[in-house]
Amino acid sequence: MAFELPDLPYAHDALAAGGMSAETLEFHHDLHHKAYVDNGNKLIAGTEWDGKSLEEIIVGTYDAKSVAQNGIFNNISQLWNHNEFWKMMGPTGRAMPSELEAAITDSFGSVDDFKTAFGAAGAGQFGSGWCWLVKNADGGLEVTKTENGVNPLCFGQTVLLGCDVWEHSYYIDFRNKRPVYLSNFLDNLVDWENVASRLAAA
């Protein structure tokens, strides 16, 4: 069964007050995300990956020895990344639940120190990619960054939060100011209740 483009969990203009315009979501979700869905479906049709879950395809097609990943991986991983990205943001959820705050403080020293590390990872990712808050197998939290469409599933980590630092995610609203986009993402766009629910389920 072919993968489908999921609807946004809110209206296209729902994040505008937080700094992500309806125009950005129209381009990013309706065009870029849809392209990953369409291309991914075409590439897996008739292959061993047809009928597998997104997660199975991502783990199964990732090549740790290669910088340039294959087309199936690139499109399916980006499909998954964006499915989760939209859910990690919202017009509500700005207050960080206490259990998440405690876990972040335990791993980073403070919420502010976490935000600094997250922003540095995103700003320091050369070219296109993502920055992440993940839970490792030992239970600790870590900030990471990945190139292009690579995500923490490739390394056995649980994704709690991710931010897209491809230019199409921020150029309409922030032009070339990626650090400002990242700071705004953390302060005005993240649904921390969603992040906390991922931690609780991990």
Side-chain angles (χ1 to χ4, degrees), residues 37-118:
V37 175
D38 294 343
N39 291 333
N41 282 328
K42 289 176 185 177
L43 289 167
I44 65 171
T47 73
E48 63 182 297
W49 304 110
D50 202 348
K52 301 289 188 181
S53 69
L54 293 175
E55 292 81 2
E56 288 173 318
I57 300 171
I58 289 167
V59 173
T61 60
Y62 176 65
D63 183 358
K65 298 177 182 178
S66 179
V67 174
Q69 298 296 316
N70 61 81
I72 290 178
F73 174 85
N74 286 333
N75 284 278
I76 295 300
S77 186
Q78 280 287 72
L79 196 172
W80 186 94
N81 291 348
H82 286 82
N83 284 357
E84 302 308 311
F85 184 51
W86 309 129
K87 292 184 285 188
M88 293 166 177
M89 299 184 289
T92 60
R94 294 300 162 263
M96 185 178 291
S98 58
E99 64 273 17
L100 175 61
E101 182 175 356
I104 286 176
T105 299
D106 185 56
S107 291
F108 298 97
S110 70
V111 172
D112 285 344
D113 287 342
F114 153 69
K115 289 184 175 182
T116 297
F118 191 90

Side-chain angles (χ1 to χ4, degrees), residues 108 114 117-118 120-122 125 130-136 141-146 150-152 155 157 159 161-163:
F108 298 97
F114 153 69
F118 191 90
Q125 171 56 42
W130 293 74
C131 55
W132 309 92
L133 172 65
V134 302
K135 183 177 181 180
N136 288 315
L141 305 188
E142 182 184 2
V143 166
T144 67
K145 60 182 179 179
T146 56
V150 177
N151 68 44
F155 314 110
Q157 299 165 315
V159 173
L161 178 65
C163 186

